[in-house]
Amino acid sequence: MKRVKMLSYILAGNILLAFAVCAFVVPNGFMLGGSTGIALVIRSWIPLSISTITAAVNVTLFALGFIFLGKNFAMTSLLSTVIYPLVLGVFERMTFGSWCTEDTLLSAVFAGVLMGSGIGLVIRAGGSTGGMDIPPCILQKLKGIPVGSSMVLFDIVILGLQVFRGGWDGILYGIVVIVLTSAMVNRMVLSGERKIQMIIISPQYEKIREAILNELDSGMTFLHIETGFRSETQKAVLSVVHAKQYPSLRDKALAIDEDAFIVSAPVMNVNGRGYTLAR
């Protein structure tokens, strides 16, 4: 069942990505980074379909990833290397034009949101979109260059090569698409994963511990502390809970000790038993 869910996410993600490119990016002449951006550049010189060029670029980059990064890394991008050009080819045969809106800025917004959602689904499934994700990883391994830095550099170069195809307007709209795509990827990857870290300082820590373990069915950890005002040695309760559980835990702690000192902060990700591992 887990494998089916992973495949469904990767398929849905690539469909969204290909649809956004064919329905919003190509009709409006937006510039893109990544392997699709390279395909748009090459298509200006060679009259081939975007899907054909993208397939050739992805296969080449997949081979480089296999050689320099190993089999395990390459396998994570194999599905997208195959699926994306195929789905792109299907959408390319459809005539979208300005099927939804003639507003260029609105098209850029929808392109970024849909592309980011698609890439985010693939990443959530544990896969990789392949393509231009691979060269930055190779540079990091061989030269120690951070992935984020080289990825931005590659996108800038690819956008620059497209200036003669669509002018500066196309590049500026392309930047809008890339920024929205990046923001949406982060939202999709972290969607449903928002958790709150709580540190509760109270002499009634044992009762609070029981409430967390028994009533909320959540985990907790004791921190050995010394209070600053009275220099008393006691324990603080550390717990990471889903955002929707936060009000309940806060209220239960205050019901046990109305003077409890509670510090709360959002956390980006949690790994370990009870979260990414079974209890």
Side-chain angles (χ1 to χ4, degrees), residues 2 63 82 88 92 95-96 117 127 150 192 218 240 242 272 274:
K2 186 177 180 181
V82 175
L88 194 63
E92 256 191 314
T95 304
F96 289 101
S117 299
S150 57
S218 187
V240 178
H242 291 280

Side-chain angles (χ1 to χ4, degrees), residues 39 50-61 81-82 84-86 88:
I50 296 175
S51 57
T52 300
I53 301 172
T54 301
V57 172
N58 281 357
V59 168
T60 302
L61 293 172
T81 299
V82 175
Y84 178 61
L86 291 176
L88 194 63

Side-chain angles (χ1 to χ4, degrees), residues 11-32 36 40 50 84 87-92 94 96-97 99-101 104 106-119 177-178 180-181 184:
L11 178 60
N14 279 284
I15 289 174
L16 278 176
L17 182 58
F19 175 76
V21 170
C22 293
F24 294 104
V25 174
V26 174
N28 289 281
F30 296 150
M31 311 303 172
L32 284 182
T36 308
L40 292 172
I50 296 175
Y84 178 61
V87 178
L88 194 63
V90 172
F91 284 129
E92 256 191 314
M94 301 179 184
F96 289 101
W99 69 282
C100 183
T101 178
T104 308
L106 194 57
S107 294
V109 170
F110 270 90
V113 169
L114 290 176
M115 290 176 65
S117 299
I119 296 170
V177 172
I178 290 171
L180 287 174
T181 298
M184 199 63 196

